[in-house]
Amino acid sequence: MKRYINAATIYAVLAMICGIFYREFTKWMNFSGSTQLSVLHTHYFILGMTFFLLILLLEKSFLFTDKNTKKILILYHIGLNITTISFLIRGILEVMGREISAALNASISGIAGIGHLLLGVSIVLILMQLRKKC
């Protein structure tokens, strides 16, 4: 369970760093429009910190983890970080006003999609584990 609180803490710190980066980078670049950087903060708070706090509470209540849980959560970490890194890349390009090719645009979207897919699969697997214990 210490692993879960450590993960929640790390994601809370990352969320705060992303929030500061979003505000300061857009201010420094004199950018006032909409950008993907604005979703980094909330993704790390909700899908990072809150998710692992909920997992901690569920583990305390139901003792649902087994030998597969570690693999599923590694998949979750990978998916969350792929998603947020793709948002970071796209957001930086948006703020800097860089025109990107259709191929690069599709690549970034595809990578973000893979991250979301990994997140979705891992959430379903965790819910299936929890369902077995309830």
Side-chain angles (χ1 to χ4, degrees):
M1 288 195 290
K2 194 162 193 109
R3 226 177 336 179
Y4 300 143
I5 194 67
N6 288 341
T9 303
I10 289 167
Y11 283 121
V13 170
L14 285 172
M16 289 181 244
I17 289 168
C18 288
I20 292 167
F21 176 74
Y22 163 63
R23 291 289 179 209
E24 294 305 315
F25 185 63
T26 54
K27 187 172 24 171
W28 182 59
M29 297 295 291
N30 292 321
F31 183 83
S32 61
S34 178
T35 176
Q36 288 290 315
L37 291 177
S38 66
V39 299
L40 290 174
H41 178 75
T42 52
H43 270 69
Y44 271 144
F45 261 133
I46 302 300
L47 295 174
M49 183 193 74
T50 305
F51 177 81
F52 281 100
L53 289 176
L54 287 172
I55 292 294
L56 174 69
L57 293 174
L58 291 170
E59 177 60 22
K60 269 187 105 56
S61 298
F62 299 109
L63 298 170
F64 75 96
T65 59
D66 62 17
K67 62 182 179 178
N68 293 324
T69 306
K70 186 174 183 177
K71 294 175 191 171
I72 295 168
L73 291 178
I74 288 171
L75 185 70
Y76 186 86
H77 286 293
I78 292 168
L80 178 55
N81 288 295
I82 286 173
T83 300
T84 54
I85 288 169
S86 63
F87 288 162
L88 178 67
I89 292 168
R90 182 179 298 280
I92 289 171
L93 292 171
E94 288 171 344
V95 171
M96 294 179 79
R98 303 288 168 120
E99 291 295 322
I100 59 174
S101 67
L104 180 58
N105 185 40
S107 297
I108 294 171
S109 295
I111 291 169
I114 290 168
H116 278 92
L117 181 67
L118 294 174
L119 279 171
V121 167
S122 57
I123 288 171
V124 168
L125 292 173
I126 288 291
L127 289 173
M128 289 170 58
Q129 276 188 302
L130 186 58
R131 187 170 188 223
K132 287 179 189 175
K133 295 292 182 172
C134 288

